[in-house]
């Protein structure tokens, strides 16, 4: 079990389950929208993301990777799909940053008013990961 699940277990925070099965770069951009969700709605939600690249969310305090059980896949209304297709065209038209697509999706699907306070993504490496990269240089 991931430490962030343990951190939030037993709290009154609402668990949000997101599905984003696109590239790792898209997931990294998503981290900024999830941070903005927590900044605008502190202590209300914690986020779990179902993706092909769960490592992106390692070491993040406010996001957990999510691995749905077969039964949960059948009950898909619990899972919020973050496919940004239509939102991307809207953001481009309005001259917005790509991360605004995810903020707009969260606002629409959760009926919220999240502000994109910071478009910078979050990606943290632990010491073992950093040492592994440095050793390859």
């Amino acid at each position: 079990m991931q430490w962030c699940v343990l951190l939030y277990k037993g709290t009154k925070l609402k668990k949000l389950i997101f599905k984003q099965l696109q590239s790792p770069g898209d997931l990294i951009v998503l981290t900024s929208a999830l941070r903005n969700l927590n900044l605008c709605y502190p202590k209300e939600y914690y986020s779990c993301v179902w993706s092909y690249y769960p490592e992106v969310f390692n070491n993040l305090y406010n996001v957990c990777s999510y691995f749905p059980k077969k039964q949960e896949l059948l009950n898909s209304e619990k899972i919020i799909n973050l496919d940004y297709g239509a939102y991307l065209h809207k953001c481009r038209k309005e001259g917005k940053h790509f991360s605004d697509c995810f903020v707009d999706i969260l606002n629409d699907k959760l009926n919220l008013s999240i502000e994109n306070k910071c478009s910078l993504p979050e990606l943290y490496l632990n010491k073992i990961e950093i040492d592994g990269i440095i050793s390859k240089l």
Side-chain angles (χ1 to χ4, degrees):
M1 183 176 285
Q2 293 181 322
W3 72 271
C4 71
V5 172
L6 293 172
L7 179 69
Y8 296 121
K9 194 172 185 160
T11 67
K12 295 188 189 275
L13 290 156
K14 184 176 178 192
K15 179 181 179 180
L16 299 173
I17 303 170
F18 300 110
K19 176 183 173 185
Q20 190 10 281
L21 301 177
Q22 290 168 298
S23 73
D26 295 332
L27 296 171
I28 292 169
V29 173
L30 172 61
T31 63
S32 72
L34 296 176
R35 179 189 53 243
N36 286 315
L37 167 67
N38 289 316
L39 288 172
C40 293
Y41 295 90
K43 299 182 181 176
E44 288 190 44
Y45 303 101
Y46 78 96
S47 304
C48 298
V49 179
W50 169 24
S51 75
Y52 294 133
Y53 307 96
E55 302 83 5
V56 169
F57 304 105
N58 288 352
N59 310 316
L60 290 181
Y61 71 95
N62 62 342
V63 183
C64 302
S65 294
Y66 182 74
F67 306 98
K69 298 175 181 88
K70 202 177 215 179
Q71 190 175 7
E72 289 172 316
L73 290 175
L74 298 172
N75 185 15
S76 60
E77 72 270 359
K78 254 180 83 172
I79 299 171
I80 302 162
N81 190 342
L82 297 179
D83 181 22
Y84 56 75
Y87 291 88
L88 183 59
H89 300 297
K90 180 181 173 233
C91 284
R92 280 184 182 159
K93 248 180 155 174
E94 296 173 4
K96 291 180 171 180
H97 188 270
F98 176 49
S99 64
D100 285 306
C101 293
F102 289 117
V103 171
D104 290 349
I105 294 169
L106 295 176
N107 283 333
D108 288 352
K109 296 203 175 192
L110 299 171
N111 197 24
L112 299 174
S113 297
I114 302 165
E115 291 177 50
N116 196 352
K117 296 180 179 199
C118 180
S119 297
L120 297 174
E122 293 186 294
L123 184 65
Y124 300 103
L125 303 175
N126 63 34
K127 182 165 177 21
I128 295 167
E129 293 164 332
I130 292 169
D131 290 345
I133 292 169
I134 291 173
S135 71
K136 293 178 182 176
L137 298 177

